Amino acid sequence: MDQPLALPLDIPARGRLEALHGQLRAAILDGRLAGGQGLPSTRALASSLGISRNTVVAAYDRLLSEGYVSARHGSGYAVAQGLAKKKVAAPGDEGDRRLAARWRHLARPVRSGGKVPMRYDFCVGLPDASRFPFDAWRRLSARALRSLSRTPAVYDAPAGRQALREAIAGHVSFARAVTCGADDIVVTSGAQQAFDLLARCLVTPGRTVIAVEDPGYPPLRAAFEAAGASVVPVPVDAEGLIVEQIPPAARVIYVTPSHQFPLGMVMSPARRMALLDFARRHGAVIIEDDYDGEFRYGGRPLDALQTLDREGLVFYVGTFSKSLFPALRLGYVVAPPWAMAALAQVRQISDWHCDVLAQDTLALFIAEGHLARHVRKMRRIYAERREALIDGLARHAGDLLTLQASDAGLHVATLLRAGLPADGLVQRAAGQDMRIEALAGYSIGAAPPNGLVFGLGMLPVARMEEATQALGRLLKAGR
Amino acid sequence: MDQPLALPLDIPARGRLEALHGQLRAAILDGRLAGGQGLPSTRALASSLGISRNTVVAAYDRLLSEGYVSARHGSGYAVAQGLAKKKVAAPGDEGDRRLAARWRHLARPVRSGGKVPMRYDFCVGLPDASRFPFDAWRRLSARALRSLSRTPAVYDAPAGRQALREAIAGHVSFARAVTCGADDIVVTSGAQQAFDLLARCLVTPGRTVIAVEDPGYPPLRAAFEAAGASVVPVPVDAEGLIVEQIPPAARVIYVTPSHQFPLGMVMSPARRMALLDFARRHGAVIIEDDYDGEFRYGGRPLDALQTLDREGLVFYVGTFSKSLFPALRLGYVVAPPWAMAALAQVRQISDWHCDVLAQDTLALFIAEGHLARHVRKMRRIYAERREALIDGLARHAGDLLTLQASDAGLHVATLLRAGLPADGLVQRAAGQDMRIEALAGYSIGAAPPNGLVFGLGMLPVARMEEATQALGRLLKAGR
């Protein structure tokens, strides 16, 4: 039974086999040729297309060997069953069923992206990359690549390149008095990977309790929730995390002692001692997130918790997302010796190691003094912006908000006068192409502070007056 | 009671305050000044050091504000308690106690490093990077960086840069007939991160069963074990994974259909259909690892499982570790639409996204045709090496080993004649500065195949005769 093909085939003068095979295959896959349908005999098809029978035989053979057609009992070929395109399941019950429950129940999706920059952009968490010495980076990257091209392609150590670990150890020992050597450092893809690796090492799902600052840094919470930890918020006051309110069951405590995120206070010496004491007594460990500790505008910094720790209780997490720029995805954790092997193993399972070229470039960048120089330069620039911001806020909206005391970092937090809800302001600001953020976005507890956070990374000092004026108008209109 | 300090202090003419403060602080931290010990009065210390009393007052004030000393009842200062250095806990019970149990019980640590290259290096899994067009990469990297320097520093999309996702979609559609667009792609830090993200998305700890090929790829197993999956080995034969032996409980199935790792066979069309059918019937998903599918030396490749899949059951994982080099840490997964949101979210929690500079460079590299050109060039080179290896093995050890049929990839597997145990050979080879690998290293089951795997990445064709000769001598000595 030789039924003709109800399928338009377009066979060119050259490449006939490829064309015939490809068009039949496409028709099988998209359902124009249905499963079970018989194909014309090679002779009939060749004749109808005006091509050689050998070409048709070759095309059928190929489809057969690929499983698109099957040989019929007797003779001839039929389209194989079950190949025609069906609608791919839309995200919904069918899809969700396949995803582990925990991904559906994460407390909140992590924010990302949006239009950058807005006209008045006080986006939190971004440095100003426009002053970055891209030329130096390019030159060092070329040098690192040349050196890399002379060595074989191998997988490297999960903890990172030796030269970079040494450079980071030198940098952090000098800049933050963190006592460490290269062997204590795991290079990570930004601070976020450090949090994720720590969560995966330290959390026993369903059992481990982590205490975090409230308000605090949501992506850290997301990493620990994903690992199956119970996240318990602990309030902060003018001295930082209120240590007495840490639940005794907490086995991990996350703090930002140099510059509380997002409120900005420095953790007091007494609290630091109390926190270390808590960890000692309860067998807990501390994650010290020093995300923008390089940017201090006055006074001598207090020593890191890591510096004070004598017993291997503290994981010190640093990042180059603020001192260089986030697109690089480079950070590190200074870990106690007992945890190094586990961290390296989890790192290897996660993604083996960071891009070697970026690591080698950064190692040269630090060793040649560019990092220290760039941080010094940016510290001056952010300090000017910060002063201009604080000054502008005082003049244009001084009676409507209260500055949170802080002398470090890339953002400034303020509390709003009662009756001026931050959420509405944020939305009205967006309507005027201004980005401000509500403190409540970083809160967990029932009574979030009513305030705003201003990032210093996107607005040059020359535009601060204009921006704070616009903000003042907005606030006054909201009264 | 004014006791003198039993501590040598060395105070220079300039920077007296810094020196005094620093030396006292160091002595407190390293225990030379014990907790509770009283400090001399400011007057006494100033006099004994021959410096101004104000300097001593300032140093004590600073130590007090930092929490290193405390004010005594009455007057004077004492060293704070609990600061002196103790021995940091060695990795052992105390340290282990803090690590979640699963990290101690991982089936096997993932291999890494070792001396590279050895004299005769048949290391598996490494490409030859010496032919890589480093100049082109450097030029494109500089261009990408210039472009990056004109945009603000932002966090990017977890799924990857749009331009790279488009370039990968074009590449994989063309090279492997994988049907996808940019929206179906998540850029990852190598295939390993793809496996890890999939494990974290698809596994419910303690419940999910994954079926893997035996022998197979250990780091994939490590990622799924880490996520809490039960890993069940399924044997392979000349047609690839034996689908009938997949346990019905399996909800994830991992396969290397283009080039079984490490044995090298191609999965037959019938098995491909049967596997897709299994997944359909059991609500399972398939991870298709096409780690070196670009390197085929004969015949037309069979279509990817992803191409045959009509129902969103297949995750197709690709990597640039073999086609470019592993140090880049770039790979990707082509995912069904229902899983994209979860993958992006897990990616963001893991480490946000890949280094943007590397992504942008690779996007240009693909768009300008360098990837396709490089793969074509390397395919010729590896084909020559493969032929020389097979020829040399046949001549120098033909009666002692049997080649596994395969016409693709960067390695060749062989079975050894009975009575020639691979383990002993591997060790004796290492003693002669030769790296060969035992198939057993990739096995899970009780009766691993007795054979060797030879990687093609490290030995140029000109040295293959010498290397196979040496290998032949080694095998004959082992009889």
Side-chain angles (χ1 to χ4, degrees):
Chain A
M1 285 202 312
D2 219 5
Q3 48 186 134
L5 267 193
L7 181 76
L9 292 168
D10 177 23
I11 308 299
R14 293 179 55 136
R16 285 174 175 164
L17 170 58
E18 291 303 325
L20 179 59
H21 167 266
Q23 289 173 38
L24 288 173
R25 175 172 159 283
I28 293 169
L29 284 175
D30 67 16
R32 283 174 293 155
L33 290 177
Q37 181 178 341
L39 291 179
S41 71
T42 53
R43 184 185 309 269
L45 186 56
S47 148
S48 79
L49 292 173
I51 61 177
S52 115
R53 190 176 162 199
N54 285 346
T55 304
V56 179
V57 170
Y60 280 14
D61 275 355
R62 193 181 278 182
L63 290 169
L64 181 67
S65 75
E66 293 168 339
Y68 290 112
V69 306
S70 50
R72 273 187 157 177
H73 189 74
S75 72
Y77 298 97
V79 175
Q81 296 285 0
L83 287 177
K85 209 181 203 88
K86 293 178 195 158
K87 268 260 178 290
V88 168
D93 284 357
E94 174 62 10
D96 273 0
R97 198 177 50 74
R98 296 196 188 95
L99 298 179
R102 51 187 167 150
W103 297 108
R104 274 178 282 155
H105 300 305
L106 279 180
R108 71 170 79 214
V110 179
R111 284 177 323 148
S112 182
K115 180 199 159 196
V116 172
M118 294 175 92
R119 184 171 172 209
Y120 302 118
D121 203 325
F122 289 109
C123 185
V124 173
L126 293 183
D128 185 346
S130 69
R131 309 297 191 96
F132 184 76
F134 285 101
D135 280 344
W137 190 268
R138 187 163 61 232
R139 188 169 48 76
L140 298 174
S141 171
R143 196 203 298 173
L145 190 61
R146 267 193 302 275
S147 159
L148 205 58
S149 72
R150 288 189 293 264
T151 60
V154 295
Y155 289 86
D156 213 81
R161 297 284 273 182
Q162 190 60 23
L164 179 56
R165 296 167 80 195
E166 280 165 15
I168 291 174
H171 168 71
V172 75
S173 300
F174 176 78
R176 301 291 292 116
V178 164
T179 48
C180 65
D183 290 349
D184 304 313
I185 286 174
V186 178
V187 180
T188 58
S189 294
Q192 186 62 29
Q193 191 179 43
F195 300 145
D196 188 58
L197 297 178
L198 289 170
R200 297 175 76 178
C201 277
L202 298 170
V203 171
T204 305
R207 295 237 316 268
T208 304
V209 174
I210 176 174
V212 302
E213 298 169 327
D214 183 16
Y217 185 61
L220 172 284
R221 297 202 294 269
F224 275 82
E225 282 169 0
S230 304
V231 177
V232 178
V234 175
V236 297
D237 63 14
E239 291 190 66
L241 187 78
I242 304 178
V243 175
E244 309 92 79
Q245 299 198 22
I246 300 174
R251 288 297 166 269
V252 185
I253 302 139
Y254 168 78
V255 277
T256 50
S258 311
H259 185 230
Q260 204 277 335
F261 186 86
L263 292 177
M265 69 283 286
V266 173
M267 193 177 203
S268 71
R271 287 278 172 80
R272 290 172 192 240
M273 295 302 162
L275 178 58
L276 285 166
D277 188 53
F278 177 97
R280 246 190 312 267
R281 282 185 292 114
H282 291 86
V285 296
I286 297 166
I287 299 176
E288 174 174 30
D289 179 6
D290 200 7
Y291 60 101
D292 65 1
E294 287 102 336
F295 298 105
R296 291 190 55 83
Y297 311 118
R300 197 173 157 282
L302 293 178
D303 283 330
L305 284 167
Q306 199 275 353
T307 312
L308 301 172
D309 170 32
R310 304 289 109 207
E311 291 168 285
L313 306 171
V314 174
F315 293 86
Y316 175 95
V317 175
T319 179
F320 296 102
S321 293
K322 307 293 180 276
S323 53
L324 305 180
F325 54 96
L328 278 179
R329 310 305 308 130
L330 283 169
Y332 55 93
V333 50
V334 182
W338 57 265
M340 283 300 293
L343 276 174
Q345 186 164 28
V346 182
R347 175 66 203 265
Q348 186 165 15
I349 286 169
S350 297
D351 64 353
W352 223 291
H353 57 73
C354 286
D355 175 9
V356 164
L357 179 56
Q359 289 191 71
D360 288 357
T361 306
L362 179 56
L364 293 170
F365 192 84
I366 297 175
E368 294 203 347
H370 292 287
L371 174 64
R373 237 183 334 269
H374 182 60
V375 166
R376 272 200 306 275
K377 180 175 74 182
M378 294 314 293
R379 194 187 291 131
R380 275 198 309 275
I381 290 171
Y382 294 134
E384 283 172 12
R385 293 184 187 180
R386 189 170 163 280
E387 259 176 67
L389 172 66
I390 292 174
D391 177 62
L393 289 178
R395 282 186 291 107
H396 300 300
D399 52 334
L400 300 174
L401 37 72
T402 315
L403 214 67
Q404 293 291 99
S406 166
D407 61 353
L410 298 191
H411 65 261
V412 171
T414 64
L415 293 180
L416 282 163
R417 218 189 51 181
L420 257 183
D423 277 356
L425 284 171
V426 168
Q427 291 205 355
R428 284 207 307 283
Q432 297 184 24
D433 211 10
M434 174 189 292
R435 187 193 328 258
I436 48 179
E437 298 192 20
L439 275 177
Y442 300 98
S443 294
I444 316 173
N450 181 39
L452 299 172
V453 206
F454 300 90
L456 299 168
M458 308 295 280
L459 266 180
V461 67
R463 297 191 50 223
M464 213 51 98
E465 172 60 16
E466 177 193 342
T468 50
Q469 216 165 30
L471 183 77
R473 278 195 301 272
L474 193 80
L475 286 168
K476 278 170 191 138
R479 270 187 305 200
Chain B
M1 284 196 317
D2 219 7
Q3 49 186 134
L5 268 192
L7 181 75
L9 292 169
D10 177 22
I11 307 301
R14 293 180 54 133
R16 284 173 176 166
L17 171 58
E18 291 302 325
L20 178 59
H21 168 265
Q23 288 173 40
L24 288 172
R25 176 172 159 283
I28 292 169
L29 286 174
D30 68 15
R32 283 174 292 156
L33 289 177
Q37 180 177 339
L39 291 179
S41 70
T42 53
R43 186 185 307 269
L45 186 57
S47 146
S48 80
L49 293 172
I51 61 177
S52 115
R53 191 178 160 199
N54 285 345
T55 304
V56 179
V57 169
Y60 279 15
D61 274 354
R62 191 181 280 183
L63 291 169
L64 181 67
S65 75
E66 293 168 339
Y68 290 112
V69 305
S70 50
R72 274 186 156 175
H73 189 74
S75 73
Y77 297 97
V79 175
Q81 297 284 0
L83 288 177
K85 210 181 202 88
K86 295 179 193 154
K87 268 257 179 290
V88 170
D93 284 354
E94 174 61 12
D96 273 0
R97 195 177 50 74
R98 297 198 187 94
L99 297 179
R102 51 187 169 151
W103 296 109
R104 273 177 283 155
H105 300 305
L106 279 179
R108 70 171 78 214
V110 179
R111 283 177 325 149
S112 182
K115 179 197 159 194
V116 171
M118 295 176 91
R119 184 173 174 208
Y120 302 118
D121 203 326
F122 289 108
C123 185
V124 174
L126 293 184
D128 185 346
S130 69
R131 309 297 190 97
F132 184 77
F134 286 100
D135 281 343
W137 189 269
R138 188 165 59 234
R139 189 168 46 75
L140 297 174
S141 170
R143 196 202 300 173
L145 190 61
R146 266 194 302 275
S147 159
L148 205 58
S149 72
R150 287 189 295 264
T151 61
V154 294
Y155 289 87
D156 212 82
R161 297 285 272 183
Q162 190 59 22
L164 179 57
R165 296 168 79 196
E166 279 164 16
I168 291 174
H171 169 71
V172 76
S173 300
F174 176 79
R176 300 291 291 116
V178 164
T179 48
C180 66
D183 290 349
D184 305 314
I185 286 173
V186 179
V187 180
T188 58
S189 294
Q192 186 62 30
Q193 191 180 41
F195 301 145
D196 188 59
L197 297 179
L198 288 170
R200 297 174 76 180
C201 276
L202 298 170
V203 171
T204 304
R207 298 238 313 268
T208 305
V209 174
I210 175 173
V212 303
E213 298 170 326
D214 183 17
Y217 185 60
L220 173 283
R221 298 203 292 270
F224 274 82
E225 283 168 0
S230 303
V231 178
V232 178
V234 175
V236 296
D237 63 15
E239 292 190 67
L241 186 79
I242 304 177
V243 175
E244 310 91 81
Q245 298 199 24
I246 300 173
R251 289 296 166 269
V252 186
I253 303 137
Y254 168 78
V255 277
T256 50
S258 310
H259 186 230
Q260 203 277 334
F261 187 88
L263 292 176
M265 69 283 286
V266 173
M267 192 177 204
S268 72
R271 287 278 172 79
R272 289 173 193 239
M273 296 302 161
L275 179 58
L276 285 167
D277 188 53
F278 177 97
R280 247 190 311 267
R281 283 185 292 114
H282 292 86
V285 295
I286 298 165
I287 299 175
E288 174 174 32
D289 179 6
D290 200 9
Y291 60 102
D292 65 0
E294 288 102 335
F295 298 105
R296 291 190 56 82
Y297 311 118
R300 195 174 159 282
L302 292 179
D303 282 330
L305 285 169
Q306 199 275 352
T307 311
L308 301 172
D309 170 30
R310 305 286 110 205
E311 292 168 287
L313 305 171
V314 174
F315 293 85
Y316 176 93
V317 175
T319 179
F320 296 101
S321 294
K322 307 292 180 277
S323 53
L324 304 179
F325 53 95
L328 278 180
R329 309 305 308 129
L330 283 169
Y332 56 92
V333 50
V334 182
W338 58 265
M340 283 300 293
L343 276 174
Q345 184 164 30
V346 182
R347 175 66 203 265
Q348 187 167 15
I349 286 168
S350 296
D351 64 352
W352 223 289
H353 57 73
C354 285
D355 175 9
V356 165
L357 179 57
Q359 290 191 72
D360 288 356
T361 306
L362 179 55
L364 293 169
F365 193 85
I366 297 175
E368 294 205 345
H370 292 288
L371 175 64
R373 235 178 344 262
H374 183 59
V375 166
R376 273 200 304 277
K377 180 174 76 181
M378 295 314 293
R379 194 187 290 132
R380 276 198 308 275
I381 291 171
Y382 294 134
E384 283 172 14
R385 293 184 187 181
R386 187 169 164 281
E387 259 177 64
L389 171 67
I390 292 174
D391 177 63
L393 290 178
R395 283 185 291 107
H396 300 301
D399 51 335
L400 300 175
L401 37 75
T402 315
L403 213 66
Q404 293 292 99
S406 166
D407 61 354
L410 298 190
H411 64 261
V412 172
T414 64
L415 293 179
L416 281 164
R417 219 188 50 181
L420 255 183
D423 276 357
L425 284 171
V426 168
Q427 293 207 353
R428 284 207 307 285
Q432 296 182 27
D433 211 10
M434 173 189 294
R435 185 190 334 255
I436 48 179
E437 299 192 19
L439 276 177
Y442 300 98
S443 295
I444 316 173
N450 181 39
L452 298 172
V453 206
F454 300 91
L456 300 168
M458 308 294 280
L459 265 179
V461 67
R463 297 189 49 223
M464 213 52 98
E465 172 62 15
E466 177 192 343
T468 50
Q469 217 165 33
L471 183 76
R473 279 196 301 272
L474 193 81
L475 286 168
K476 280 170 189 135
R479 269 186 308 201

